[in-house]
Structures are given as structure tokens and as C-alpha cells.
Amino acid sequence: MQYIPVLPTYTKTVLFTKTNFSNITGKFLFNLTLIPVERLHFIDTLTKLIDPDSFVNLTKISTLEISRNYELPQDLISPILAYTPKIRTVKLTSNRWTTVPEDMFSGLHNSSISVISLKNNWIVNISGRHFFGLHFLQILDLSNNSLSQINFTGFESTSISTINLASNHFTKVPSFCGPTAQLTGKYKTLKLQQNYIRDLDGSSFQCLQFLHNLFLDKNSVSVIRSNTFAQLPKLEKLSMTFIGDHLHTIEGYAFNSSSLKNLDIGNNRYKFDKLPWLYRTVFASLPNLLSLDLTGNSLPSESKALGELFTNLNKLEKLILENTALKALPRNVFQNIPNLESLILIGNYISGWGDDPEVFGNVTSLRSLYLDGNNIKPVNKTSFPEHFLNSLDKLCLTNNPYTCTCDLKWFVDWIKSTKHTIIVNYPRRYACRYPPEMNNVLLKNYNPTTKICSHIDYPLIRNICIAVFVPSTIILIVVSVGYKFRFRLSYWLHILGIKRVGYKRIESDTDYRYDAFVIYSTVNRDFVFNYMIPELEDKAGCRLCIHERDFEVGRFILDNITNHFEHSKNIILVLSTAILNSEWCTFELSLTQSRTAIEGPGVLTVILLEELDTAILPSTVRAILDTVTYTEWSQEKSKQSRIWAKIVTALNTHKDGVDLL
């Protein structure tokens, strides 16, 4: 291009790239004076010379960019800017500069420059004195250079509020103090992403009393020490993501800050459960925190531990727990975050919560719930409390492996009828997975009728008939008592059924879904999740049935127990005093006694966690111990290895009457 053509009069932005403008003059730019151009960009234009007064007649120009022009002398920049005092944004990027002349921006006291970008160069040294006297300068971008240190003295004469030092060579946070420890500027935003910073402590952020936003992503920080950010009284946003395997310790009160509102430490693969004594203090002293993002870290599986981790976050409104390896929803955790409005649980292994009212019961503030990408199969009327569901503005359950049977009818009908709650991404990402003939069928095309699923209403019809023929007074008493003890009545009905009919054995091994059904008290869940699952599932490749993880949402607990019990090849009993106080464990022991009577004691493996007084044992437990040799758990790692080896052998053998422990 040898000249600039006349452009439409409405043109405000002009960008030249991949041209050959070796010499830029006022005459060459004449046609641009005919339009109200505000933003002018010369990118890779092979420019070698620019007359200082080239832009004088462009009276509306506010942004000037000269980038990827490798042969342009740096000493031309200062006179160009001096002739155009109305320019507010200057971009001098990707010019392969290793240094910046100290007088490049000198003599510009009357300049209106508020933004300077020198990113994507090779600059190794620069200081605040380069920008001395730029009174209106607010934003300075020095990202993607080769800086390892910087002297901030000189910035005090500017209005600097945002400085970008990302993608440089800093190994520690540079000092923002002057020679006498005075402030060099009222910095509000500091970007230090993708450097090589390893150490952080309370002295790292001095002279930054006005800082609001701090970005430390993609550094090499190994330890976040106590009170690291306590010297930042106005800090509101802190981002420390993608540190990866470098981060191995977060000390108690590490994020201590009364002003912090947004904390993002996602995608660090940090395992919070390796320092359990710090649960209560990791996020302590954050009274004004509104948003917490823990994406891509590993959270403890125990509800009590999670509750301690999030204790005292009374103002928290948004909690992101995406890809945090959660296998079950915690109990009594979300109720203790009284202002929680948005909960994101995407990409975990949650299969259900057993209609447990202590998961979402009494949660009144939540407005958005995201459970997409989990392992949820059925959702029915008892999955969510009615008041909780009615309070949601958004519900996302996409990409779950739904089982399209009558158990899902309520959910399908509710999706189609609800007008208050937005079902995110419906219908595109709501599809059946089971049974096989329904695979990939969208839920909107699954239409179970009341007639087909009417069998599930028989108890309701029976109760209605009784109510018609029995005096109202008696009915009220019977219904109220029956409702109060409904689970206990169902329990004893199952017990009587087992004693009368007996256990139904599956003939073919191929029909078993699990290698073993694990009977344990929730008091001993740490042993199951921290010892048994890693050894038997992760290392030995066994498939265990764990009620907290594998029971289906929306089914009665008794139905879940009997169904999963029948599809488990073996039984593992984790025996302790706590198990004797659980009605559900007592029911599972009755099933075990019935099954061992049919198949022999070889199906049962007993792990004794503690010494028991035989005098207090119920008859079912004494009968089991009389027929099966148990193994005693040991805290010695050498003995633990032998114990797990024996258990794996027992699970793989399954011979009637053969005692392998």
C-alpha cells in the first residue's frame, strides 16, 4: 500500500498490519484527518521512521499502537508523544526491545496518557523513573518480558493503580517500598502470574496498603504461611490457581484477612486431608469472604471434616467444589453457611445422598445448584426437600447417567411442569443411560405414564381406602403413629420376611455387581475410605459396595440394602462397638446370618477393629464369631499389608466352609 485511501466518515478505528509503511509522515496520513479516527494501530508495518508531527492533525486520536516494528528507533517515541498530548493509551508491544530509554516518557508532564503497554518485549531492566511525571498514568502493562527485579521509586508522581508483571522472571515478590520504606504508589491491582515465585510470607507484600486485587497464579509456591496476606488491609480478591504439585502445605490462618471477599485457589491438586489438624484454621479469619473456589483440589470425604473446613464462613455466597473427588454429599455442612446462594459440585463422583434430610434440609438461602457430571441415576420426590426445591432459581443436573424407569417419573414430570426453577441446559444434556435400550434417549422423550407406573401408588390407595371405612379419630392416631415409626416398621417386616423366606442366592457369578458388601458404622467411615478403599479398590481392583457412595438416590434405605446385598459376591464386616448401636447394621447382620447359613462361612470376612466384650454382644454377632475366624486390625504397616493380602485372597476364592483368615 503506497497511500491511505479515503475511509468512511463514521470510521473511528483504523488498523494497518502486514504493510510496508517504512516512512510515516503527516502528508502520508492526510486522508485520516478527514475522519474522526480515535484509535490508530500500526502492527507489523515494517516502519523505520515516523515524523514527530505525523499525528498532530488527528485531533480525535486517543489510542496509538506501534507493535511488531523491529527496526523503528526507540528515540522517536518521545517526540511523537510530545506532539500529541491528547493520547491516553500507548501500546508499544512485541518490538523486541531489551531496554527502554529512560527519557522515552520524559517531558510529558502535560500528557493525558493513562495506559501504557510494553508487553511481549524482551525488557530486562526498567524502573519507576522511566514514567516519572506522567501524572495521569493509571495502568502499566509490563507482562511477558524478562524482568527479574524492578525499582518502583518514581511511580509516586503518577496515578498508577494497576501494574501487570505477569510472565516475567521474578523469583520473589518485588519490593514496592521506596528507599526510606515509603509508599511508591497507591497500587490497587497487582498481577504476578506465571513467574517463578517460591516463597511467600507476611513480609512479601509491604507498602501495598491500597491493594484490592492480587494475582499469583502459575507460580512455584510450595508453602502458604500463616498471615501471609495480613499486611494487605484492603485486599478483596486473591487468585492462586494452577500452582500444581509445587504447593504442599497451607498453614493455619494462611489467608487471614478481614477484607478478602473472593478467594480462588483452584486447580492446585492440593490434598486438604493430609493435614487434618488444620481443618478449622485453613479458612479461619475470613469474616467477609463471599466467594471460595476450590476447583481441582482434593477435599476430605468425611462430613465432619468438611464442616470444620468451612466453619465461620458466615457471609459466603458462592462455593465452587468442582472436580474435588467428592464421593458423597456431606451432612450438616451447607446448613452452617447461612448466606450460601450458589453451590457448584460439577465433575465429582456423587451418586446420591440417600434422601438424607441432613444434606439439604433447612438450607434456605441457596438459589443455584450445579450437580452436572456426577453419577446420579434416579431423582425422585424425596431427593430434595420440597421447600428447598421451590427456593431454587437454577438447577443443573446435566451429564448424569439417568436410569429411565418409573423411579424417574416424578423428576421427568417436575422438569416439564416447573415454571419457577430454570433447568440449566435442558433438554440437550439430560439423557438416559440405563436400561440399555434407553441409552441416549433424551429425558424429554421419555414419557412414563401413571398407568404403567401405577404399582408404586398401591400403598397410597390402600391408605385412602382405610381412611374411608375407619372412624376418623382412629385413623388420625394410626397414621400419626405409623408415620412416626414408618422406618422401624419396615425394618421388622423385612426381618420377618428374611426369617420366613431366607436369602435368595444368585446362581451365576456374572450377575454380581460387587465383589463385597461392606458392613460398617459411620463412626468407622475413616477406616473404610482411607484404608479399605485405597487397598482393595485402587490397588487390588476389587469393587466394593459402600452404602454412602453406592446406594441409589430416591430409594428407601431397606430396599437399597437388600438389593445391593443380593448383588454382592462376598461380605466384609468391619466389627466395632459402634456397629452394635446401629439398627441398619443390625439388619445387615441378620441378612449375613441368613446368607452364611445357605452358602457357608466362606462368603464372610470379619475385620475386628477393637477388642469386644463378648458379654455385650447380641446373638447374631456371637453366632458369626463362633463360625468365622476373624482378623484383628493392627496399626503396624507391616501387619496391615498381610491383612489386606489375606482379604484379597478371600474375596477371590469364595469357597464354602473354607476359612482363609
Side-chain angles (χ1 to χ4, degrees):
M1 180 181 289
Q2 299 301 317
Y3 70 98
I4 298 174
V6 177
L7 301 174
T9 56
Y10 55 79
T11 305
K12 293 185 177 182
T13 300
V14 179
L15 186 152
F16 299 105
T17 184
K18 300 291 183 180
T19 61
N20 187 3
F21 292 169
S22 61
N23 187 5
I24 297 176
T25 65
K27 182 179 179 180
F28 178 74
L29 299 176
F30 174 76
N31 282 338
L32 295 183
T33 64
L34 305 177
I35 59 174
V37 60
E38 296 177 1
R39 293 168 291 275
L40 184 57
H41 306 266
F42 297 95
I43 302 175
D44 196 9
T45 53
L46 301 177
T47 301
K48 299 179 182 180
L49 182 65
I50 301 177
D51 284 354
D53 60 352
S54 296
F55 309 103
V56 169
N57 294 322
L58 300 177
T59 57
K60 300 290 186 180
I61 188 169
S62 63
T63 297
L64 176 63
E65 178 175 10
I66 303 173
S67 298
R68 294 211 296 270
N69 285 285
Y70 311 130
E71 299 184 44
L72 181 68
Q74 292 173 287
D75 58 5
L76 293 178
I77 301 300
S78 182
I80 291 172
L81 298 178
Y83 272 95
T84 50
K86 292 185 179 181
I87 288 180
R88 294 193 296 272
T89 299
V90 178
K91 297 182 180 181
L92 304 168
T93 68
S94 305
N95 290 314
R96 297 181 181 174
W97 295 345
T98 57
T99 61
V100 176
E102 193 164 330
D103 63 349
M104 178 175 282
F105 302 102
S106 64
L108 301 177
H109 302 287
N110 296 322
S111 171
S112 301
I113 295 175
S114 61
V115 179
I116 294 178
S117 177
L118 292 165
K119 69 179 182 180
N120 298 325
N121 282 289
W122 300 342
I123 301 170
V124 296
N125 186 31
I126 202 167
S127 72
R129 298 190 184 280
H130 285 79
F131 309 95
F132 186 83
L134 294 177
H135 303 301
F136 297 101
L137 181 62
Q138 296 179 14
I139 300 173
L140 177 61
D141 190 348
L142 295 170
S143 62
N144 203 17
N145 279 284
S146 300
L147 297 170
S148 58
Q149 58 183 359
I150 183 172
N151 185 344
F152 288 87
T153 301
F155 282 117
E156 59 270 19
S157 68
T158 72
S159 300
I160 191 82
S161 63
T162 298
I163 185 164
N164 189 347
L165 298 172
S167 300
N168 277 280
H169 297 164
F170 292 101
T171 57
K172 63 179 181 179
V173 178
S175 174
F176 290 83
C177 298
T180 59
Q182 80 276 18
L183 299 183
T184 57
K186 295 182 179 180
Y187 310 97
K188 293 184 178 180
T189 299
L190 173 59
K191 298 181 178 182
L192 282 165
Q193 305 100 308
Q194 207 160 348
N195 278 281
Y196 302 94
I197 299 171
R198 297 181 178 86
D199 296 316
L200 293 175
D201 57 32
S203 64
S204 299
F205 301 101
Q206 295 181 1
C207 299
L208 289 170
Q209 284 88 327
F210 296 92
L211 195 67
H212 287 190
N213 307 299
L214 177 59
F215 299 88
L216 293 164
D217 314 271
K218 294 185 179 180
N219 275 281
S220 305
V221 179
S222 58
V223 180
I224 306 177
R225 294 184 173 85
S226 301
N227 299 310
T228 294
F229 309 99
Q231 299 296 319
L232 302 173
K234 295 189 176 182
L235 185 66
E236 294 185 357
K237 179 176 178 59
L238 173 62
S239 182
M240 296 185 68
T241 65
F242 292 99
I243 294 174
D245 296 329
H246 299 286
L247 183 62
H248 61 73
T249 302
I250 300 178
E251 295 183 356
Y253 303 99
F255 305 105
N256 179 16
S257 172
S258 60
S259 60
L260 194 63
K261 295 181 179 179
N262 297 282
L263 175 59
D264 186 354
I265 54 172
N267 296 295
N268 290 318
R269 299 196 293 272
Y270 182 74
K271 296 183 178 180
F272 283 91
D273 56 357
K274 65 181 178 181
L275 299 174
W277 56 90
L278 294 178
Y279 286 155
R280 283 189 172 272
T281 58
V282 170
F283 300 116
S285 300
L286 288 167
N288 292 301
L289 193 68
L290 301 178
S291 176
L292 176 60
D293 190 344
L294 298 176
T295 297
N297 294 291
S298 180
L299 294 179
S301 56
E302 188 179 8
S303 295
K304 181 181 178 182
L306 279 172
E308 292 179 349
L309 199 63
F310 302 132
T311 190
N312 297 323
L313 296 178
N314 294 325
K315 290 190 177 181
L316 193 69
E317 296 177 355
K318 186 174 184 179
L319 180 59
I320 304 175
L321 305 178
E322 183 174 347
N323 295 318
T324 51
L326 283 176
K327 298 180 180 178
L329 286 177
R331 306 168 66 192
N332 297 316
V333 172
F334 308 128
Q335 292 89 335
N336 295 321
I337 310 178
N339 290 296
L340 187 63
E341 295 181 0
S342 179
L343 177 60
I344 300 174
L345 295 158
I346 298 172
N348 286 287
Y349 304 106
I350 300 167
S351 58
W353 46 97
D355 304 341
D356 192 337
E358 295 181 350
V359 174
F360 292 116
N362 296 322
V363 177
T364 59
S365 60
L366 203 65
R367 297 295 175 265
S368 300
L369 176 60
Y370 290 79
L371 279 162
D372 35 326
N374 279 277
N375 193 35
I376 298 171
K377 297 177 182 177
V379 179
N380 57 36
K381 193 172 184 178
T382 60
S383 298
F384 299 103
E386 184 177 358
H387 72 276
F388 170 79
L389 204 59
N390 291 335
S391 68
L392 287 179
D393 295 330
K394 292 183 180 180
L395 176 62
C396 186
L397 287 162
T398 61
N399 300 321
N400 278 288
Y402 292 108
T403 299
C404 289
T405 62
C406 286
D407 289 337
L408 202 66
K409 181 182 184 302
W410 174 87
F411 183 54
V412 172
D413 292 343
W414 178 81
I415 288 178
K416 295 176 181 178
S417 63
T418 184
K419 296 180 180 179
H420 172 72
T421 305
I422 297 174
I423 311 301
V424 180
N425 291 324
Y426 181 83
R428 186 163 54 93
R429 296 184 182 178
Y430 292 76
C432 305
R433 179 74 60 82
Y434 308 102
E437 61 272 16
M438 296 293 293
N439 189 31
N440 292 324
V441 174
L442 293 178
L443 293 195
K444 73 168 186 176
N445 298 324
Y446 174 57
N447 298 298
T449 64
T450 302
K451 182 177 181 180
I452 293 175
C453 299
S454 60
H455 65 280
I456 62 175
D457 291 326
Y458 284 160
L460 179 61
I461 295 172
R462 181 193 60 207
N463 289 338
I464 293 174
C465 292
I466 293 174
V468 171
F469 296 103
V470 178
S472 58
T473 303
I474 298 176
I475 286 299
L476 288 173
I477 296 173
V478 172
V479 170
S480 61
V481 173
Y483 183 82
K484 182 176 181 180
F485 298 101
R486 64 192 185 282
F487 293 112
R488 190 179 295 273
L489 290 172
S490 298
Y491 167 78
W492 286 111
L493 287 173
H494 275 270
I495 292 295
L496 293 173
I498 290 170
K499 290 182 178 180
R500 185 177 71 253
V501 179
Y503 165 72
K504 298 178 181 179
R505 181 178 180 179
I506 294 178
E507 296 298 327
S508 173
D509 284 356
T510 59
D511 292 329
Y512 289 108
R513 294 202 299 262
Y514 304 96
D515 294 300
F517 184 101
V518 182
I519 302 174
Y520 69 99
S521 168
T522 54
V523 175
N524 305 127
R525 72 191 308 277
D526 283 347
F527 171 80
V528 174
F529 281 90
N530 296 333
Y531 290 90
M532 181 177 291
I533 290 177
E535 289 292 332
L536 298 185
E537 286 195 343
D538 298 344
K539 292 183 180 180
C542 298
R543 175 63 171 149
L544 304 180
C545 180
I546 309 297
H547 67 81
E548 294 180 67
R549 181 188 67 187
D550 299 313
F551 280 10
E552 297 177 9
V553 177
R555 297 192 67 175
F556 286 108
I557 297 176
L558 286 169
D559 293 336
N560 263 317
I561 292 174
T562 53
N563 179 265
H564 287 77
F565 198 91
E566 290 174 0
H567 289 85
S568 298
K569 186 176 180 181
N570 298 280
I571 307 162
I572 297 176
L573 171 60
V574 180
L575 191 56
S576 68
T577 305
I579 207 171
L580 307 179
N581 300 319
S582 170
E583 287 188 358
W584 298 124
C585 291
T586 303
F587 174 60
E588 291 168 345
L589 288 172
S590 298
L591 289 175
T592 301
Q593 191 175 20
S594 175
R595 182 165 176 178
T596 54
I598 297 173
E599 298 188 29
V603 300
L604 176 62
T605 298
V606 181
I607 303 174
L608 186 63
L609 292 187
E610 60 190 44
E611 187 174 349
L612 298 177
D613 183 1
T614 56
I616 66 171
L617 298 179
S619 58
T620 53
V621 177
R622 286 200 301 271
I624 290 172
L625 294 180
D626 288 340
T627 56
V628 176
T629 303
Y630 55 84
T631 183
E632 295 182 3
W633 179 249
S634 174
Q635 296 298 328
E636 297 180 21
K637 290 190 175 182
S638 59
K639 291 184 179 180
Q640 290 177 11
S641 299
R642 291 195 294 272
I643 291 172
W644 294 124
K646 291 180 179 179
I647 292 174
V648 171
T649 302
L651 296 181
N652 290 334
T653 305
H654 186 177
K655 292 183 178 179
D656 290 353
V658 177
D659 184 5
L660 294 166
L661 297 178

